[in-house]
mmCIF file of all heavy atoms in Angstrom:
data_model
loop_
_atom_site.group_PDB
_atom_site.id
_atom_site.type_symbol
_atom_site.label_atom_id
_atom_site.label_comp_id
_atom_site.label_asym_id
_atom_site.label_seq_id
_atom_site.Cartn_x
_atom_site.Cartn_y
_atom_site.Cartn_z
ATOM 1 N N SER A 52 9.898 161.019 -139.243
ATOM 2 C CA SER A 52 9.071 159.872 -139.622
ATOM 3 C C SER A 52 7.584 160.115 -139.347
ATOM 4 O O SER A 52 6.729 159.565 -140.036
ATOM 5 C CB SER A 52 9.533 158.627 -138.869
ATOM 6 O OG SER A 52 9.428 158.838 -137.475
ATOM 7 N N SER A 57 0.426 171.095 -138.858
ATOM 8 C CA SER A 57 0.008 172.297 -138.160
ATOM 9 C C SER A 57 -0.898 173.130 -139.058
ATOM 10 O O SER A 57 -0.587 173.357 -140.222
ATOM 11 C CB SER A 57 1.240 173.109 -137.767
ATOM 12 O OG SER A 57 0.862 174.289 -137.124
ATOM 13 N N ARG A 84 -3.321 180.469 -150.616
ATOM 14 C CA ARG A 84 -2.750 181.533 -151.437
ATOM 15 C C ARG A 84 -1.961 180.988 -152.622
ATOM 16 O O ARG A 84 -1.620 181.740 -153.525
ATOM 17 C CB ARG A 84 -1.839 182.414 -150.590
ATOM 18 C CG ARG A 84 -2.607 183.056 -149.439
ATOM 19 C CD ARG A 84 -1.758 184.021 -148.728
ATOM 20 N NE ARG A 84 -1.546 185.156 -149.621
ATOM 21 C CZ ARG A 84 -0.952 186.273 -149.252
ATOM 22 N NH1 ARG A 84 -0.513 186.409 -148.039
ATOM 23 N NH2 ARG A 84 -0.793 187.264 -150.112
ATOM 24 N N GLY A 92 -14.993 179.082 -154.489
ATOM 25 C CA GLY A 92 -16.018 178.524 -153.621
ATOM 26 C C GLY A 92 -15.969 179.135 -152.237
ATOM 27 O O GLY A 92 -15.324 180.156 -152.010
ATOM 28 N N ALA A 99 -10.845 172.430 -147.722
ATOM 29 C CA ALA A 99 -10.767 171.025 -148.140
ATOM 30 C C ALA A 99 -9.755 170.857 -149.267
ATOM 31 O O ALA A 99 -8.992 169.882 -149.299
ATOM 32 C CB ALA A 99 -12.144 170.532 -148.578
ATOM 33 N N ALA A 134 -8.830 168.846 -142.431
ATOM 34 C CA ALA A 134 -8.470 167.505 -141.955
ATOM 35 C C ALA A 134 -9.152 166.425 -142.776
ATOM 36 O O ALA A 134 -8.519 165.435 -143.165
ATOM 37 C CB ALA A 134 -8.840 167.364 -140.475
#
Side-chain angles (χ1 to χ4, degrees):
S52 60
S57 178
R84 300 187 70 172

